[in-house]
Every structure is written in structure tokens, then in C-alpha cells.
Amino acid sequence: MNVFCKTLLASALATATLASAHAAEPLTVYGKLNVTAQSNDVDDDATTTIQSNASRFGVKGAFELSSSLEAFYTVEYEVDTGDDVKENFKARNQFVGLKGNFGAFSVGRNDTMLKQSQGKVDQFNDLSGDLKNLFKGENRIEQTATYMTPSFNGFKVGVTYAAEGASSQYGQDGFSVAAMYGDKKLKKSPIFASIAYDSDVKGYEVVRATVQGKIAGLKIGGMYQQQEETYKKDGTEVVGADSKTGYLVSAAYTIDAVVLKAQYQDMEDKGDSWSIGGDYKLGKPTKLFAFYTNRDFEGDDNTDKFFGIGLEHKF
């Protein structure tokens, strides 16, 4: 912890000094704390927890190298407030890149394009109802190179190369490609849509299509996915694996400071899950929320149930 804090502080001070010297954008410190009091009934064993849900801390910034070229970076860590050890930081996105009329190119630890292509369709992201519990493809790979084209009338295409030297790649090169249209936050456009493909990323081949739209206070989204295992962790190729199909539908309705949410997800031969919940916004950076998730796995007689009440603050 001490080494991390000293390193991060030194990096922040050095970056801030350089930013001032080159009249570039200032260093931005950001993050969020999301903590819930939960009842988790898993395998017929109920436990009460006070748990962190992908709480995070990061710094990011950009430097204007010329009128047509900009350098940018992100260094982000997950902070697990419920961990029983003091060294509770885990690496998240950490990359450096260049941006210009050609688009943006970055190298480092990053979310794959398939993961980025989901937009905001997952209404229970980072909670017990997160789509990653049934769908493959929610990957953050430690050795990547990513290129994103400029926006052409709302369309963008991106590709991620995952190096075989990354331990999560099981000794194989991997590629993740996505074509996207619209604004993920649905503020600049009433619709967001994407189609994405993973080839040998973390041992899987995945095809994913996502769409989400907004009408007044109602957001409706859907996702279709096919996934097939290609490699084991030891690098052994999987031959003759069956392709599995799944889907997700979600909805959110805003009434003043309240957002009501619902989501259903199913994956062939894996299981299904449904979640309901609501947010109450106390202010722009702060909200109270509650949720209930019910999940059934194929071949398991027990139903996993999660109920949580939480507080989130962004900074």
C-alpha cells in the first residue's frame, strides 16, 4: 500500500508539473465508492456482507503535443473496501496513447472492444446481477494495443490486439473488434447499437450484438451473444466445442430523482438470471440504491438470491 501510494503521488505530481509546463489539460483525479449491505444466499448458504462493488480510484489526463496530436493516459485501480487485508488495490485500465485526426491508438492494460461495445445496457453492472456472471467476453487484458477510428456520422470502429505473452491469453494471440453507432450514455443520440467479435480472447470466441434506445424517461436495451470455448488455461486447444447462445433484455424508467430498473438474462446450458432495483439520486455525484437478483444455474437445484441496499458517490 505504501509503495503504491508513493508511486501514485510521485506520478501525479510529475504529470501535473509537465501539464503546467506544456499548457496542456490538467491532471484529473476521479473515482467512485459503491458499497452495499447485502444478503447473499448462495448454494443454500445465506451470508450478510458489507461489500464493495468495483469501487475505484484513478488519474487521467491529456497533453497537446501539437495542433493535430495529443497524448493521453489513464491509471486506474479498484479499491476493495471489504477486503480483509490492507493491500486492497487491484489493477484496472492502465494505458497510454496518442490521439489525432487518424483516431486514437493506445497500449497497456485495457478493456477489450467487445467489452466496451456493451455501452450502458447492463443496468446492474458491477452488482450481483452483472451480465459477466453468465456471459463470457467481459475481459480486461493486461497486454493490449487498441485502435479506435474517428467518428463518422456517429459510427466508430475499434480493434484490440491481446498479446500471447499475457497470462490471461493462454499462450494465444487474440483479437477483439467492434463497430458502434451513437452515444453510449444516450445523451447525444437516442440510440446506441454495436456488433462485436472476439477471436481467442481469454480462451473464447464470442459474437455479440447490442442495442439500447431512449424514449422520454424510458431506456430499453437488448443483447444477443454466441460464445464458444477455443483454448484451456494450459494452452490446450478445445476441439469440437458447441457454440452456446444467450440473450439479455433490460429497462430503466426515470421519474424525477428515481430510476426503476429491471433485467433478464439467459445463457444456453449455463443458466438464467433476473434482477429488479431502483436508484434515488441525492445529488449529481451521489445516489442511494437497492436491488434484488435471482439466479439459477443449469444442473443446480439451489437458486442463488442476492438482496442489497447501497450508497454510491462519484468524485
Side-chain angles (χ1 to χ4, degrees), residues 208-228:
R208 173 181 291 181
T210 305
V211 64
Q212 187 178 33
K214 180 179 180 181
I215 303 175
L218 177 64
K219 294 180 181 178
I220 300 176
M223 178 183 289
Y224 172 81
Q225 178 156 315
Q226 287 185 336
Q227 59 190 47
E228 180 180 330

